[in-house]
Each structure stands twice: as structure tokens, then as C-alpha cells.
Amino acid sequence: MDIRATVGDLTVRHPAGPGSVLHALEVPAAGGDTCFADMGAAYDGLSGKVKHRIDELTAVHDFAPILGLGMDADKLAALQVKYPAVEHPVVRCHPRTGRRTLFVNPAFTTHITGMEEGESEALLGFLFHQADIPEFQVRFRWEADSIAFWDNQATQHYAVNDYFPQHRLMERVAILDERPGTRKGPAQEAVPARFS
């Protein structure tokens, strides 16, 4: 899935690619860390009973509840036609390592397929919480010119918003998946997105 959303004059592209790189241009004097959660460790930390329950489930992922906020109805409807909600396994095997990872997050995962709404909400809430457990996280403290490089297929990240009224300016590059036979045309130049 390849999602583009525009906020003001900024276009954000979110490919489901293997990795991302973030470069700090300006950072606040204090705060603004990024927490990374190891979703393989989050899966490993579940009980055998829960693992058995979720291993074959799928869940719906939809950009609209978060990226669609503030969009006018026509633009949102057009994007939903172009980028409809999709189903992904709740537990995904990493394509390179084979390790089982949780593949749900509160920003995009809306519900578990075929499950009653209340049960789906309760189970997803429990699974979302796995990313919040400190033992499964690292906290990256930014300095000017710091660079973070992470595996989108095995981690989740959260930018701690604790530095107002200071600001930070970052450049982000997403790495596209290069599978044999998927490239169409010449390679495209990566253009970093700037955001704070």
C-alpha cells in the first residue's frame, strides 16, 4: 500500500516499505525523543494462549481515521477509492528473518476481521498496549544531525511531543521495497519530506 496525504503544502508518502531514515536538522534543548518498539519482542511477550488466539487472525488497516482528519469530504472520498482499507495478518512473519511480529497499531488498524465489535476493540487494545511496554522499547534522544534508521516491518515508533513551545525540524526518507519484477521504469530519486 502506498499512501500520500497532504497537510498544508506538505505531501507525506507512506509506503509499506522495509525501512525509514530520519535526520534531525533542528532539535529542542530538551524533549522530542522517539520511542521505538520491537514488535517481535512484543509478540514474544504474549502468553501461548493469546498467541494461539491471534496467529491466524486478520485485521483491517485504514488511513482515513488518522490521515483523513481535516480533509474535505470530496478529497477524502477520492483517496479512499485510490487507497481502500486493506486486510493484513495480525501476526506477520518478517520477510527476511522469519520472526513473528505483531502487525497492528492504533493509527491504522480499525478492527479484526469477522469479530464482534466489542471483542475486536478489547483484543486490539490489549495488543496495542504491547508496544507501550518499556522492556520492548528503546528511546532515542535526538541531537542536531542525529540519524535514525529503522526496520518498518519489525518496529513501531512514537515521537514524544513534550517540547512545546520549542520545535524540531526533521527530514525523513522511506526505503521502498525492491522485490524482483516489481520495478517499473527507472529508479526514482528519493526526496526527503521535512516536518516538525
Side-chain angles (χ1 to χ4, degrees):
M1 180 163 67
D2 181 1
I3 296 171
R4 290 182 184 179
T6 303
V7 180
D9 61 349
L10 172 66
T11 299
V12 178
R13 182 171 183 233
H14 175 31
S20 291
V21 180
L22 196 58
H23 174 219
L25 300 176
E26 297 175 29
V27 295
D33 299 346
T34 300
C35 295
F36 292 92
D38 178 341
M39 299 312 289
Y43 176 81
D44 293 344
L46 296 169
S47 71
K49 183 178 179 180
V50 173
K51 289 177 185 174
H52 179 73
R53 181 177 182 201
I54 67 172
D55 276 346
E56 301 303 319
L57 296 177
T58 60
V60 173
H61 293 239
D62 189 356
F63 78 92
I66 298 296
L67 295 179
L69 291 174
M71 282 187 195
D72 70 62
D74 290 339
K75 182 174 186 174
L76 179 58
L79 284 173
Q80 286 176 306
V81 168
K82 191 171 182 179
Y83 306 110
V86 294
E87 284 187 35
H88 291 290
V90 170
V91 178
R92 183 174 186 265
C93 288
H94 192 283
R96 288 178 181 79
T97 68
R99 187 177 187 191
R100 289 181 174 269
T101 63
L102 279 182
F103 196 65
V104 295
N105 68 74
F108 295 106
T109 311
T110 59
H111 63 279
I112 295 176
T113 309
M115 190 175 283
E116 188 273 327
E117 183 179 352
E119 184 181 7
S120 173
E121 285 180 11
L123 182 55
L124 283 175
F126 176 78
L127 297 175
F128 294 159
H129 176 68
Q130 287 296 103
D132 298 336
I133 297 174
E135 288 80 3
F136 306 149
Q137 293 182 352
V138 295
R139 188 174 183 119
F140 190 84
R141 287 184 167 72
W142 293 97
E143 297 177 6
D145 283 326
S146 292
I147 295 176
F149 177 24
W150 68 92
D151 183 342
N152 280 327
Q153 300 174 41
T155 61
Q156 290 184 20
H157 68 283
Y158 175 77
V160 180
N161 189 6
D162 62 352
Y163 50 90
F164 182 82
Q166 299 179 79
H167 71 279
R168 67 180 197 172
L169 181 64
M170 316 290 268
E171 289 181 317
R172 179 173 174 173
V173 174
I175 300 164
L176 299 177
D177 207 353
E178 286 291 333
R179 293 189 184 116
T182 61
R183 179 180 282 179
K184 293 181 173 54
Q188 295 179 338
E189 180 181 340
V191 180
R194 289 186 173 209
F195 59 96
S196 39

